[in-house]
Amino acid sequence: MKIIAVTACPSGVAHTYMAAEALKKACAKAGVDCSVETQGSIGIEDALTDADIAEATAVVLTTDMPIKGAERFEKLPKIRLTAGQVIKSAEAIVAKVQKELG
């Protein structure tokens, strides 16, 4: 199982990276492969590759602002949450994906 994500927030600083880190930690704890692209104030970092997307079980997209290149994920199950929700509930998000798509 692999979860991919794109995190972004209006200021492109704290919440973007906090959400990415929370999701990475939750996935590591659950033994789930995870790749996260951030779209912050300094641009896109750790861009998801075509291989990442092809291998993914689901994608988490933050909804605080439009995600650049969201059309890349049209064939994947999507979980759309605010960055704050991802920060607060990353373990529950991963558990839900495992339960429903694992």
Side-chain angles (χ1 to χ4, degrees):
M1 169 170 283
K2 180 172 186 166
I3 295 174
I4 60 173
V6 181
T7 62
C9 70
S11 65
V13 187
H15 287 98
T16 298
Y17 299 102
M18 289 169 62
E21 188 62 27
L23 197 55
K24 288 177 188 177
K25 284 183 180 180
C27 284
K29 185 175 179 179
V32 173
D33 192 17
C34 178
S35 295
V36 181
E37 172 180 303
T38 57
Q39 295 185 4
S41 60
I42 60 173
I44 294 174
E45 294 180 283
D46 300 319
L48 294 168
T49 65
D50 291 340
D52 289 327
I53 297 166
E55 296 167 357
T57 306
V59 60
V60 175
L61 301 171
T62 57
T63 59
D64 303 89
M65 59 182 295
I67 297 295
K68 295 174 187 151
E71 67 279 353
R72 299 175 285 171
F73 313 115
E74 63 185 42
K75 295 181 181 181
L76 288 172
K78 291 164 204 58
I79 301 152
R80 296 179 191 267
L81 301 164
T82 66
Q85 289 171 311
V86 174
I87 293 164
K88 293 177 186 173
S89 304
E91 287 186 21
I93 294 163
V94 173
K96 183 174 182 176
V97 171
Q98 285 181 302
K99 181 178 178 184
E100 294 183 12
L101 301 173

Coordinates of all heavy atoms in Angstrom, one line a residue:
M1 N 0.8 -1.2 0.0 CA 0.0 0.0 0.0 C 0.9 1.2 0.0 O 1.9 1.3 0.7 CB -0.9 0.0 1.2 CG -1.6 1.3 1.4 SD -2.9 1.3 2.7 CE -4.1 0.5 1.8
K2 N 0.4 2.2 -0.8 CA 1.2 3.5 -0.8 C 0.2 4.6 -0.8 O -0.7 4.7 -1.6 CB 2.1 3.6 -2.1 CG 2.9 4.8 -2.2 CD 3.9 4.8 -3.3 CE 4.7 6.1 -3.3 NZ 5.9 6.0 -4.1
I3 N 0.4 5.6 0.1 CA -0.3 6.8 0.1 C 0.5 7.9 -0.4 O 1.7 8.1 0.0 CB -0.8 7.1 1.5 CG1 -1.8 6.0 2.0 CG2 -1.5 8.5 1.6 CD1 -2.2 6.2 3.5
I4 N 0.0 8.7 -1.3 CA 0.7 9.9 -1.7 C -0.1 11.1 -1.3 O -1.3 11.0 -1.0 CB 1.0 10.0 -3.3 CG1 -0.3 9.9 -4.1 CG2 1.9 8.8 -3.6 CD1 -0.2 10.1 -5.6
A5 N 0.5 12.3 -1.3 CA -0.2 13.5 -0.8 C 0.4 14.7 -1.4 O 1.6 14.7 -1.8 CB -0.2 13.6 0.7
V6 N -0.4 15.8 -1.5 CA 0.1 17.1 -1.8 C -0.5 18.0 -0.8 O -1.7 18.1 -0.5 CB -0.4 17.6 -3.2 CG1 0.2 19.0 -3.5 CG2 0.0 16.6 -4.3
T7 N 0.4 18.7 -0.1 CA 0.0 19.6 1.0 C 0.3 21.1 0.6 O 1.4 21.3 0.0 CB 0.7 19.3 2.3 OG1 2.1 19.4 2.2 CG2 0.3 17.9 2.8
A8 N -0.6 22.0 0.9 CA -0.4 23.4 0.6 C -1.3 24.2 1.5 O -2.4 23.7 1.9 CB -0.7 23.7 -0.9
C9 N -0.9 25.4 1.9 CA -1.7 26.3 2.7 C -1.5 27.7 2.1 O -0.6 27.9 1.4 CB -1.4 26.2 4.2 SG 0.2 26.9 4.6
P10 N -2.4 28.6 2.5 CA -2.4 29.9 1.9 C -1.0 30.6 2.0 O -0.5 31.3 1.1 CB -3.5 30.7 2.6 CG -4.5 29.6 2.9 CD -3.6 28.4 3.3
S11 N -0.4 30.5 3.2 CA 0.9 31.2 3.4 C 2.0 30.4 2.8 O 3.1 30.9 2.6 CB 1.1 31.6 4.8 OG 1.3 30.4 5.6
G12 N 1.8 29.1 2.7 CA 2.8 28.2 2.1 C 4.0 27.9 3.0 O 5.1 27.6 2.5
V13 N 3.8 28.1 4.3 CA 4.9 27.9 5.2 C 4.5 26.8 6.2 O 4.6 25.6 5.9 CB 5.3 29.2 5.9 CG1 6.5 29.0 6.7 CG2 5.5 30.3 4.9
A14 N 4.2 27.1 7.4 CA 4.1 26.2 8.5 C 3.1 25.0 8.2 O 3.5 23.9 8.3 CB 3.7 26.9 9.8
H15 N 1.9 25.3 7.9 CA 0.9 24.2 7.8 C 1.2 23.3 6.7 O 0.9 22.1 6.7 CB -0.5 24.8 7.7 CG -1.0 25.3 9.1 ND1 -1.0 26.6 9.4 CD2 -1.5 24.6 10.1 CE1 -1.4 26.7 10.6 NE2 -1.8 25.6 11.1
T16 N 1.7 23.8 5.6 CA 2.1 23.0 4.4 C 3.1 21.9 4.9 O 2.9 20.7 4.6 CB 2.8 23.8 3.4 OG1 1.9 24.8 2.9 CG2 3.3 23.0 2.2
Y17 N 4.1 22.3 5.6 CA 5.1 21.3 6.0 C 4.7 20.5 7.3 O 5.1 19.3 7.4 CB 6.4 22.1 6.3 CG 6.9 22.7 5.0 CD1 6.7 24.1 4.8 CD2 7.4 22.0 4.0 CE1 7.1 24.7 3.6 CE2 7.8 22.6 2.8 CZ 7.6 24.0 2.6 OH 8.0 24.6 1.4
M18 N 3.9 21.1 8.1 CA 3.4 20.3 9.3 C 2.5 19.2 8.8 O 2.6 18.1 9.4 CB 2.7 21.3 10.3 CG 3.6 22.2 11.0 SD 2.8 23.5 11.9 CE 1.8 22.6 13.1
A19 N 1.7 19.5 7.9 CA 0.8 18.4 7.4 C 1.6 17.3 6.7 O 1.3 16.1 6.9 CB -0.2 19.0 6.4
A20 N 2.6 17.7 5.9 CA 3.4 16.7 5.2 C 4.1 15.8 6.3 O 4.1 14.6 6.1 CB 4.4 17.4 4.3
E21 N 4.7 16.4 7.3 CA 5.4 15.7 8.3 C 4.5 14.8 9.1 O 4.8 13.6 9.4 CB 6.1 16.7 9.3 CG 7.0 16.0 10.2 CD 8.2 15.2 9.6 OE1 8.6 15.5 8.5 OE2 8.6 14.2 10.2
A22 N 3.3 15.3 9.4 CA 2.3 14.5 10.2 C 1.9 13.2 9.4 O 1.9 12.1 9.9 CB 1.1 15.3 10.5
L23 N 1.7 13.4 8.1 CA 1.3 12.3 7.3 C 2.4 11.3 7.1 O 2.2 10.0 7.2 CB 0.8 12.8 5.9 CG 0.0 11.8 5.1 CD1 -1.2 11.2 5.9 CD2 -0.4 12.4 3.8
K24 N 3.7 11.8 6.9 CA 4.8 10.9 6.8 C 5.0 10.0 8.1 O 5.3 8.8 8.0 CB 6.1 11.7 6.5 CG 6.1 12.2 5.1 CD 7.4 13.1 5.0 CE 7.5 13.8 3.7 NZ 8.7 14.7 3.6
K25 N 4.9 10.7 9.2 CA 5.0 10.0 10.5 C 4.0 8.9 10.7 O 4.2 7.8 11.2 CB 5.0 11.0 11.7 CG 6.3 11.8 11.8 CD 6.3 12.7 13.1 CE 7.6 13.4 13.2 NZ 7.5 14.3 14.4
A26 N 2.7 9.3 10.4 CA 1.6 8.4 10.6 C 1.8 7.2 9.6 O 1.5 6.0 10.1 CB 0.3 9.1 10.3
C27 N 2.2 7.4 8.4 CA 2.4 6.3 7.5 C 3.6 5.4 8.0 O 3.4 4.2 8.0 CB 2.7 6.8 6.1 SG 1.3 7.4 5.2
A28 N 4.6 6.0 8.4 CA 5.8 5.2 8.9 C 5.3 4.3 10.1 O 5.7 3.2 10.2 CB 6.9 6.1 9.3
K29 N 4.6 4.9 11.0 CA 4.1 4.2 12.2 C 3.2 3.0 11.8 O 3.2 1.9 12.4 CB 3.3 5.1 13.1 CG 2.8 4.5 14.4 CD 2.2 5.5 15.3 CE 1.7 4.9 16.6 NZ 1.1 5.9 17.5
A30 N 2.4 3.2 10.7 CA 1.5 2.1 10.2 C 2.2 1.2 9.2 O 1.5 0.2 8.8 CB 0.3 2.8 9.6
G31 N 3.4 1.4 8.9 CA 4.1 0.6 7.9 C 3.6 0.8 6.5 O 3.6 -0.2 5.7
V32 N 3.1 2.0 6.2 CA 2.6 2.3 4.9 C 3.6 3.2 4.1 O 4.1 4.1 4.7 CB 1.3 3.0 5.0 CG1 0.8 3.5 3.6 CG2 0.2 2.1 5.6
D33 N 3.9 2.8 2.9 CA 4.8 3.6 2.0 C 4.1 5.0 1.8 O 2.9 5.0 1.6 CB 5.0 2.9 0.7 CG 6.2 3.5 -0.1 OD1 6.9 4.3 0.5 OD2 6.2 3.2 -1.3
C34 N 4.9 6.1 1.7 CA 4.3 7.4 1.6 C 5.2 8.3 0.9 O 6.4 8.3 1.2 CB 4.0 7.9 3.0 SG 3.3 9.6 3.1
S35 N 4.7 9.1 0.0 CA 5.4 10.2 -0.7 C 4.6 11.4 -0.6 O 3.3 11.4 -0.9 CB 5.7 9.9 -2.1 OG 6.6 8.7 -2.2
V36 N 5.2 12.6 -0.2 CA 4.4 13.8 -0.1 C 5.1 14.9 -0.9 O 6.3 15.2 -0.7 CB 4.3 14.2 1.4 CG1 3.5 15.5 1.5 CG2 3.7 13.1 2.2
E37 N 4.3 15.6 -1.7 CA 4.8 16.8 -2.4 C 4.2 18.0 -1.7 O 3.1 18.0 -1.2 CB 4.2 16.8 -3.8 CG 4.4 18.0 -4.6 CD 3.7 17.9 -6.0 OE1 4.1 16.9 -6.8 OE2 2.9 18.7 -6.3
T38 N 5.1 19.0 -1.4 CA 4.7 20.2 -0.8 C 4.6 21.3 -1.9 O 5.5 21.4 -2.7 CB 5.6 20.6 0.4 OG1 6.9 20.8 -0.1 CG2 5.5 19.6 1.5
Q39 N 3.6 22.1 -1.8 CA 3.5 23.3 -2.6 C 3.5 24.5 -1.7 O 2.4 25.0 -1.3 CB 2.2 23.2 -3.5 CG 2.3 22.0 -4.5 CD 1.1 22.0 -5.4 OE1 0.3 22.8 -5.4 NE2 1.1 20.9 -6.2
G40 N 4.7 25.0 -1.3 CA 4.8 26.0 -0.4 C 5.2 27.3 -1.0 O 5.2 27.5 -2.2
S41 N 5.6 28.2 -0.1 CA 6.0 29.6 -0.5 C 7.3 29.6 -1.4 O 7.5 30.5 -2.1 CB 6.2 30.5 0.7 OG 7.3 29.9 1.5
I42 N 8.1 28.5 -1.3 CA 9.3 28.4 -2.2 C 9.0 27.6 -3.4 O 10.0 27.2 -4.1 CB 10.5 28.0 -1.4 CG1 10.3 26.6 -0.8 CG2 10.9 29.0 -0.3 CD1 11.6 26.1 -0.1
G43 N 7.8 27.2 -3.7 CA 7.4 26.4 -4.9 C 7.2 25.0 -4.5 O 6.9 24.6 -3.4
I44 N 7.2 24.1 -5.5 CA 6.9 22.7 -5.3 C 8.2 22.0 -4.9 O 9.3 22.2 -5.6 CB 6.4 22.1 -6.6 CG1 5.0 22.7 -6.9 CG2 6.3 20.6 -6.5 CD1 4.4 22.3 -8.3
E45 N 8.1 21.3 -3.8 CA 9.3 20.5 -3.4 C 8.9 19.0 -3.3 O 7.7 18.7 -3.1 CB 9.7 20.9 -2.0 CG 10.2 22.3 -1.9 CD 10.6 22.7 -0.5 OE1 9.7 23.0 0.3 OE2 11.8 22.7 -0.2
D46 N 9.8 18.1 -3.6 CA 9.6 16.7 -3.5 C 8.4 16.3 -4.5 O 7.5 15.5 -4.1 CB 9.3 16.2 -2.1 CG 10.5 16.5 -1.2 OD1 11.6 16.3 -1.6 OD2 10.2 16.9 0.0
A47 N 8.5 16.8 -5.7 CA 7.4 16.6 -6.6 C 7.2 15.1 -6.8 O 8.1 14.3 -6.9 CB 7.7 17.2 -8.0
L48 N 5.9 14.7 -6.8 CA 5.5 13.3 -7.0 C 5.9 12.9 -8.5 O 5.6 13.6 -9.4 CB 4.0 13.1 -6.8 CG 3.6 13.3 -5.3 CD1 2.1 13.4 -5.2 CD2 4.2 12.2 -4.4
T49 N 6.5 11.8 -8.6 CA 6.8 11.3 -9.9 C 5.7 10.5 -10.5 O 4.7 10.1 -9.8 CB 8.1 10.4 -9.9 OG1 7.7 9.2 -9.1 CG2 9.2 11.1 -9.2
D50 N 5.8 10.2 -11.8 CA 4.8 9.4 -12.5 C 4.7 8.0 -11.8 O 3.7 7.4 -11.6 CB 5.0 9.2 -14.0 CG 4.8 10.5 -14.7 OD1 4.1 11.4 -14.2 OD2 5.4 10.6 -15.9
A51 N 5.9 7.5 -11.4 CA 5.9 6.2 -10.7 C 5.2 6.2 -9.4 O 4.5 5.3 -9.0 CB 7.4 5.7 -10.5
D52 N 5.4 7.3 -8.6 CA 4.7 7.5 -7.3 C 3.2 7.4 -7.5 O 2.5 6.7 -6.8 CB 5.1 8.9 -6.7 CG 6.5 9.0 -6.1 OD1 7.0 8.0 -5.7 OD2 7.0 10.1 -6.2
I53 N 2.8 8.1 -8.5 CA 1.3 8.2 -8.8 C 0.8 6.8 -9.2 O -0.2 6.4 -8.8 CB 1.0 9.3 -9.8 CG1 1.4 10.6 -9.2 CG2 -0.5 9.3 -10.2 CD1 1.5 11.8 -10.2
A54 N 1.5 6.1 -10.1 CA 1.1 4.8 -10.6 C 1.0 3.8 -9.5 O 0.2 2.9 -9.6 CB 2.1 4.4 -11.7
E55 N 1.9 3.9 -8.5 CA 2.0 2.9 -7.4 C 1.0 3.2 -6.3 O 0.8 2.4 -5.4 CB 3.4 2.9 -6.8 CG 4.4 2.4 -7.8 CD 5.9 2.6 -7.4 OE1 6.1 3.2 -6.3 OE2 6.8 2.2 -8.1
A56 N 0.4 4.4 -6.3 CA -0.4 4.9 -5.2 C -1.7 4.1 -5.1 O -2.4 3.8 -6.0 CB -0.6 6.3 -5.3
T57 N -2.1 3.9 -3.8 CA -3.4 3.4 -3.5 C -4.5 4.5 -3.4 O -5.6 4.3 -3.7 CB -3.3 2.6 -2.1 OG1 -2.3 1.7 -2.2 CG2 -4.7 2.0 -1.8
A58 N -4.0 5.7 -2.8 CA -4.9 6.8 -2.6 C -4.0 8.1 -2.5 O -2.8 8.0 -2.3 CB -5.7 6.7 -1.4
V59 N -4.7 9.2 -2.7 CA -4.0 10.5 -2.6 C -4.7 11.4 -1.6 O -6.0 11.5 -1.6 CB -3.8 11.2 -4.0 CG1 -5.2 11.5 -4.6 CG2 -3.0 12.5 -3.9
V60 N -4.0 12.0 -0.8 CA -4.5 13.0 0.2 C -4.2 14.4 -0.4 O -3.0 14.7 -0.7 CB -3.9 12.9 1.6 CG1 -4.4 14.0 2.5 CG2 -4.2 11.5 2.2
L61 N -5.2 15.2 -0.6 CA -5.0 16.6 -1.1 C -5.5 17.6 -0.1 O -6.7 17.4 0.4 CB -5.8 16.8 -2.4 CG -5.4 15.8 -3.6 CD1 -6.3 16.0 -4.7 CD2 -3.9 16.0 -4.0
T62 N -4.7 18.5 0.3 CA -5.2 19.6 1.2 C -6.1 20.6 0.4 O -5.9 20.8 -0.8 CB -4.1 20.3 1.9 OG1 -3.2 20.9 1.0 CG2 -3.4 19.4 2.9
T63 N -7.1 21.1 1.1 CA -8.1 22.0 0.4 C -7.9 23.4 0.7 O -8.8 24.2 0.4 CB -9.5 21.5 0.7 OG1 -9.6 21.6 2.1 CG2 -9.7 20.1 0.2
D64 N -6.9 23.8 1.4 CA -6.8 25.2 1.8 C -6.6 26.2 0.7 O -6.8 27.4 0.8 CB -5.6 25.4 2.8 CG -5.7 24.5 4.0 OD1 -5.3 23.3 3.9 OD2 -6.3 24.9 5.0
M65 N -6.1 25.6 -0.4 CA -5.9 26.4 -1.7 C -5.8 25.4 -2.8 O -5.6 24.2 -2.6 CB -4.6 27.3 -1.6 CG -3.3 26.6 -1.3 SD -1.9 27.7 -1.2 CE -1.9 28.4 -2.8
P66 N -6.0 25.9 -4.1 CA -5.9 25.0 -5.2 C -4.6 24.3 -5.3 O -3.5 24.9 -5.1 CB -6.1 25.9 -6.4 CG -6.8 27.1 -5.9 CD -6.3 27.3 -4.5
I67 N -4.6 23.0 -5.6 CA -3.4 22.2 -5.8 C -3.0 22.3 -7.3 O -3.8 22.0 -8.1 CB -3.6 20.7 -5.4 CG1 -4.0 20.6 -3.9 CG2 -2.5 19.8 -5.7 CD1 -2.9 21.0 -2.9
K68 N -1.7 22.6 -7.5 CA -1.2 22.7 -8.9 C -1.1 21.3 -9.4 O -0.5 20.4 -8.7 CB 0.1 23.4 -8.9 CG 0.0 24.9 -8.5 CD 1.3 25.5 -8.4 CE 1.2 26.9 -7.9 NZ 2.3 27.4 -7.1
G69 N -1.6 21.0 -10.6 CA -1.4 19.7 -11.2 C -2.3 18.6 -10.6 O -2.0 17.4 -10.7
A70 N -3.5 19.0 -10.0 CA -4.4 18.0 -9.4 C -4.9 17.0 -10.4 O -5.3 15.9 -10.0 CB -5.5 18.8 -8.7
E71 N -4.9 17.4 -11.7 CA -5.4 16.5 -12.7 C -4.6 15.2 -12.8 O -5.1 14.2 -13.3 CB -5.5 17.1 -14.1 CG -4.2 17.5 -14.7 CD -3.5 18.8 -14.1 OE1 -4.2 19.5 -13.4 OE2 -2.4 19.1 -14.5
R72 N -3.4 15.2 -12.3 CA -2.5 14.0 -12.3 C -3.2 12.9 -11.5 O -2.8 11.7 -11.7 CB -1.2 14.3 -11.6 CG -0.4 15.4 -12.3 CD 0.9 15.7 -11.5 NE 0.6 16.5 -10.3 CZ 1.4 16.7 -9.3 NH1 2.6 16.3 -9.3 NH2 1.0 17.5 -8.3
F73 N -4.1 13.2 -10.6 CA -4.6 12.2 -9.7 C -6.0 11.8 -10.0 O -6.7 11.1 -9.2 CB -4.6 12.8 -8.2 CG -3.3 13.4 -7.9 CD1 -3.2 14.8 -7.7 CD2 -2.1 12.6 -7.9 CE1 -2.0 15.3 -7.4 CE2 -0.9 13.2 -7.6 CZ -0.8 14.6 -7.3
E74 N -6.5 12.0 -11.2 CA -7.9 11.8 -11.5 C -8.3 10.3 -11.4 O -9.5 10.1 -11.1 CB -8.3 12.3 -12.9 CG -7.5 11.7 -14.1 CD -7.8 12.3 -15.4 OE1 -7.9 13.6 -15.5 OE2 -8.0 11.6 -16.4
K75 N -7.4 9.4 -11.6 CA -7.8 8.0 -11.5 C -7.7 7.4 -10.1 O -8.0 6.2 -9.9 CB -6.9 7.2 -12.4 CG -7.2 7.5 -13.9 CD -6.4 6.7 -14.8 CE -6.6 7.1 -16.3 NZ -5.9 6.4 -17.2
L76 N -7.2 8.2 -9.1 CA -7.0 7.7 -7.8 C -8.1 8.1 -6.8 O -8.7 9.2 -7.0 CB -5.7 8.3 -7.2 CG -4.4 7.7 -7.7 CD1 -3.2 8.6 -7.2 CD2 -4.2 6.3 -7.4
P77 N -8.4 7.2 -5.8 CA -9.3 7.7 -4.7 C -8.7 8.9 -4.0 O -7.5 8.8 -3.8 CB -9.4 6.4 -3.8 CG -8.9 5.3 -4.6 CD -7.9 5.8 -5.6
K78 N -9.5 9.9 -3.8 CA -9.0 11.1 -3.2 C -9.6 11.3 -1.8 O -10.7 11.1 -1.6 CB -9.3 12.3 -4.1 CG -8.5 12.3 -5.3 CD -9.2 13.3 -6.3 CE -8.9 12.9 -7.8 NZ -9.3 11.6 -8.2
I79 N -8.7 11.9 -0.9 CA -9.2 12.3 0.4 C -8.8 13.8 0.4 O -7.7 14.2 0.3 CB -8.4 11.6 1.5 CG1 -8.7 10.1 1.4 CG2 -8.9 12.1 2.9 CD1 -7.6 9.2 1.9
R80 N -9.8 14.6 0.6 CA -9.6 16.1 0.5 C -9.9 16.6 1.9 O -11.0 16.5 2.4 CB -10.5 16.7 -0.5 CG -10.2 16.3 -1.9 CD -11.2 16.9 -2.9 NE -11.1 16.4 -4.2 CZ -10.3 16.8 -5.2 NH1 -9.6 17.8 -5.0 NH2 -10.3 16.2 -6.4
L81 N -8.9 17.2 2.6 CA -9.0 17.7 3.9 C -8.2 19.0 4.0 O -7.3 19.2 3.2 CB -8.4 16.7 4.9 CG -9.1 15.3 5.0 CD1 -8.2 14.4 5.7 CD2 -10.4 15.4 5.6
T82 N -8.5 19.8 5.0 CA -7.6 21.0 5.2 C -6.3 20.5 5.8 O -6.2 19.4 6.3 CB -8.3 22.0 6.2 OG1 -8.3 21.3 7.5 CG2 -9.6 22.4 5.8
A83 N -5.3 21.4 5.7 CA -4.0 21.0 6.3 C -4.1 20.8 7.8 O -3.5 19.9 8.3 CB -3.0 22.1 6.0
G84 N -4.9 21.6 8.4 CA -5.1 21.4 9.9 C -5.7 20.1 10.2 O -5.3 19.5 11.2
Q85 N -6.7 19.6 9.4 CA -7.3 18.3 9.6 C -6.2 17.2 9.5 O -6.2 16.2 10.2 CB -8.4 18.0 8.7 CG -9.6 18.9 9.0 CD -10.7 18.7 7.9 OE1 -10.4 18.9 6.7 NE2 -11.9 18.5 8.3
V86 N -5.3 17.3 8.5 CA -4.3 16.3 8.3 C -3.3 16.4 9.5 O -2.9 15.3 10.0 CB -3.5 16.6 7.0 CG1 -2.3 15.7 6.8 CG2 -4.5 16.5 5.8
I87 N -3.0 17.5 9.9 CA -2.1 17.7 11.1 C -2.7 17.0 12.3 O -2.0 16.2 13.0 CB -1.7 19.1 11.4 CG1 -0.9 19.7 10.2 CG2 -1.0 19.3 12.7 CD1 -0.9 21.3 10.2
K88 N -3.9 17.2 12.6 CA -4.6 16.7 13.8 C -5.0 15.2 13.7 O -5.0 14.5 14.7 CB -5.8 17.5 14.1 CG -5.5 18.9 14.5 CD -6.8 19.7 14.7 CE -6.5 21.2 15.0 NZ -7.7 22.0 15.0
S89 N -5.2 14.7 12.5 CA -5.8 13.4 12.3 C -5.0 12.5 11.4 O -5.6 11.6 10.8 CB -7.2 13.5 11.8 OG -8.0 14.3 12.7
A90 N -3.8 12.7 11.2 CA -3.0 11.9 10.2 C -3.1 10.4 10.5 O -3.3 9.6 9.5 CB -1.5 12.3 10.2
E91 N -3.0 10.0 11.7 CA -3.1 8.5 12.0 C -4.4 8.0 11.7 O -4.5 6.9 11.1 CB -2.7 8.3 13.5 CG -1.3 8.4 13.8 CD -0.9 8.0 15.2 OE1 -1.6 7.3 15.8 OE2 0.2 8.5 15.6
A92 N -5.5 8.7 11.9 CA -6.9 8.2 11.6 C -7.1 8.2 10.1 O -7.7 7.3 9.6 CB -7.9 9.1 12.2
I93 N -6.5 9.1 9.4 CA -6.6 9.1 7.9 C -5.9 7.9 7.3 O -6.5 7.2 6.5 CB -5.9 10.4 7.3 CG1 -6.7 11.6 7.7 CG2 -5.8 10.3 5.8 CD1 -5.9 12.9 7.6
V94 N -4.7 7.6 7.8 CA -4.0 6.4 7.3 C -4.7 5.1 7.7 O -4.9 4.2 6.8 CB -2.5 6.4 7.9 CG1 -1.8 5.1 7.6 CG2 -1.7 7.6 7.4
A95 N -5.3 5.1 8.9 CA -6.0 3.9 9.3 C -7.3 3.7 8.4 O -7.6 2.6 8.0 CB -6.4 4.0 10.8
K96 N -7.9 4.8 8.1 CA -9.1 4.7 7.2 C -8.8 4.2 5.8 O -9.5 3.4 5.2 CB -9.8 6.1 7.1 CG -11.1 6.0 6.3 CD -11.8 7.4 6.4 CE -13.1 7.2 5.6 NZ -14.0 8.4 5.7
V97 N -7.7 4.7 5.3 CA -7.2 4.3 3.9 C -6.9 2.8 4.0 O -7.3 2.0 3.1 CB -6.0 5.1 3.4 CG1 -5.5 4.5 2.2 CG2 -6.4 6.5 3.2
Q98 N -6.2 2.4 5.0 CA -5.9 0.9 5.2 C -7.1 0.1 5.3 O -7.2 -1.0 4.6 CB -5.0 0.7 6.4 CG -3.6 1.2 6.3 CD -2.8 0.9 7.5 OE1 -3.2 1.3 8.6 NE2 -1.7 0.1 7.4
K99 N -8.1 0.5 6.0 CA -9.3 -0.2 6.2 C -10.1 -0.3 4.9 O -10.6 -1.4 4.6 CB -10.1 0.4 7.3 CG -11.4 -0.4 7.6 CD -12.2 0.3 8.7 CE -13.5 -0.5 9.0 NZ -14.3 0.1 10.0
E100 N -10.3 0.8 4.3 CA -11.2 0.9 3.1 C -10.5 0.4 1.8 O -11.2 0.0 0.9 CB -11.8 2.3 3.0 CG -12.7 2.6 4.1 CD -13.3 4.0 4.0 OE1 -13.3 4.6 2.9 OE2 -13.9 4.4 5.0
L101 N -9.2 0.6 1.7 CA -8.6 0.3 0.4 C -7.5 -0.7 0.5 O -6.9 -1.1 -0.5 CB -8.0 1.6 -0.2 CG -9.0 2.7 -0.5 CD1 -8.3 4.0 -0.9 CD2 -10.0 2.3 -1.5
G102 N -7.1 -1.1 1.7 CA -6.0 -2.1 1.9 C -6.4 -3.4 1.5 O -5.7 -4.3 1.2

